[in-house]
Amino acid sequence: KILITLCLSFSLLLTSCSLGSGNSSTPTPELPTSTPEPPTPTPQPMAVVVNGEGVPLVEYQASLLQYQQALAAGGQTQSDADQQEAVLQDLVNQTLLSQGAEEQGYTVDDATVQLHIDALVTQLGGQDALNTWMAQYGYDENSFRQALRRSIAATWMRDQITSAVPAEVEQVHARQILLLSQDLANEVYAALEAGADFATQAYYYDSLTGGDLGWFPRRYLTQLSIEDAAFSLEVGQYSQVIDTDFGYHIIYVIDHQSSYPLTEDARLTLMRQALQYWIDQRRTSATVESLLP
């Protein structure tokens, strides 16, 4: 509000100067024959330009400050360069998502922006509190609304992508025997070949869970070789010894369903993967220009 008042006062000052004193003894100056061009506004500094759309420097600086505070609150440390790169890439991703929303016909009107601002005012405890927050991060009303508009559109696009992940997909229920020695793993495999019960062996080496991996979809496990083995086996079959960074595994398939409900964690994992895939695809054809020094 202070900024608006100053601008209005400056406009009135220019108007009063142009009117003159009105003294009749002063010759009336000749009016110009053409209207002078208005002054060119100072360009808003940008941090990065994505497909021709700029992200203001003030938004980058505000995001960087919030990121640094989040790191400090979590007791984490990161180099200045890594912090700057993380924030810059996040803003690029957000802009790509916002542009994707616009391509799908989603627009954020002023009423929607105002609804979010009203919610923030309620959450923070009043307009003064929001103004203080904005000032803390270097926002004025216009830059804040601009950032909020982009964020709303990006969130809408994110939700479209993640909600497309189905609640049920093909999954396998498997058990493993995990050993740290290859020689021991080979001995256990030989015992299984000789007729030893897999579950009995699994509980012997993991008395708590019996090596139960639960149900999981494709692209969920961190070890792709384990996942590939599980999905290639028939129910009731076990794999050969599989060498990974964690040790030596023998996998047994308890069940395999073409459609089975995802656990909350598995669905969140697939949602994150779907979102990252969408962003990676957009980045392959995007034009990104960083304007940071």
Side-chain angles (χ1 to χ4, degrees):
K1 291 183 178 179
I2 295 174
L3 178 60
I4 296 173
T5 302
L6 288 175
C7 291
L8 289 175
S9 301
F10 186 63
S11 300
L12 290 173
L13 177 61
L14 291 177
T15 303
S16 63
C17 291
S18 65
L19 290 175
S21 62
N23 191 324
S24 59
S25 63
T26 304
T28 303
E30 183 178 351
L31 295 175
T33 57
S34 61
T35 304
E37 292 292 331
T40 304
T42 303
Q44 185 179 23
M46 296 294 167
V48 64
V49 178
V50 183
N51 295 327
E53 178 183 348
V55 178
L57 182 61
V58 64
E59 188 173 342
Y60 164 80
Q61 292 170 333
S63 298
L64 179 60
L65 179 56
Q66 293 175 68
Y67 183 69
Q68 291 169 337
Q69 291 173 344
L71 287 176
Q76 303 176 48
T77 58
Q78 201 174 43
S79 69
D80 290 346
D82 287 343
Q83 291 176 22
Q84 294 164 6
E85 181 65 15
V87 170
L88 185 67
Q89 295 308 318
D90 185 68
L91 288 172
V92 170
N93 293 344
Q94 187 182 110
T95 305
L96 290 173
L97 286 165
S98 174
Q99 292 171 351
E102 184 177 359
E103 291 172 11
Q104 293 200 15
Y106 179 78
T107 57
V108 184
D109 56 22
D110 292 340
T112 300
V113 173
Q114 190 58 52
L115 282 175
H116 281 74
I117 291 177
D118 292 343
L120 286 171
V121 168
T122 301
Q123 178 183 341
L124 294 174
Q127 184 65 50
D128 288 343
L130 177 58
N131 292 342
T132 300
W133 183 92
M134 288 166 53
Q136 177 185 354
Y137 293 104
Y139 285 116
D140 58 22
E141 184 175 355
N142 181 63
S143 60
F144 179 67
R145 284 178 175 271
Q146 185 178 357
L148 187 56
R149 192 182 302 273
R150 180 185 296 107
S151 176
I152 295 169
T155 300
W156 182 89
M157 190 67 228
R158 179 205 65 190
D159 291 346
Q160 300 306 300
I161 297 166
T162 57
S163 64
V165 175
E168 297 188 7
V169 299
E170 180 188 12
Q171 293 191 74
V172 163
H173 182 195
R175 186 189 303 278
Q176 72 170 352
I177 300 172
L178 173 59
L179 303 158
L180 300 180
S181 163
Q182 185 173 14
D183 290 340
L184 181 56
N186 291 336
E187 291 179 12
V188 172
Y189 182 80
L192 293 172
E193 290 285 87
D197 179 67
F198 193 98
T200 301
Q201 293 290 314
Y203 272 102
Y204 180 79
Y205 292 102
D206 180 2
S207 59
L208 184 61
T209 68
D212 194 345
L213 296 174
W215 288 90
F216 54 88
R218 296 182 187 274
R219 306 187 313 277
Y220 178 68
L221 299 183
T222 58
Q223 299 296 313
L224 186 59
S225 57
I226 301 297
E227 188 177 286
D228 287 342
F231 276 90
S232 66
L233 294 168
E234 298 292 333
V235 174
Q237 288 184 333
Y238 57 84
S239 71
Q240 295 182 337
V241 177
I242 303 170
D243 183 6
T244 75
D245 295 337
F246 295 98
Y248 301 89
H249 311 248
I250 306 173
I251 305 300
Y252 176 88
V253 174
I254 301 171
D255 200 355
H256 187 164
Q257 297 290 333
S258 60
S259 182
Y260 193 84
L262 288 164
T263 64
E264 181 180 356
D265 182 70
R267 190 158 190 259
L268 286 173
T269 298
L270 296 189
M271 285 178 172
R272 284 193 292 267
Q273 291 175 352
L275 179 60
Q276 189 59 56
Y277 178 80
W278 187 94
I279 290 173
D280 290 344
Q281 291 297 107
R282 299 288 293 201
R283 276 180 171 269
T284 60
S285 58
T287 301
V288 179
E289 180 186 6
S290 173
L291 303 179
L292 296 176

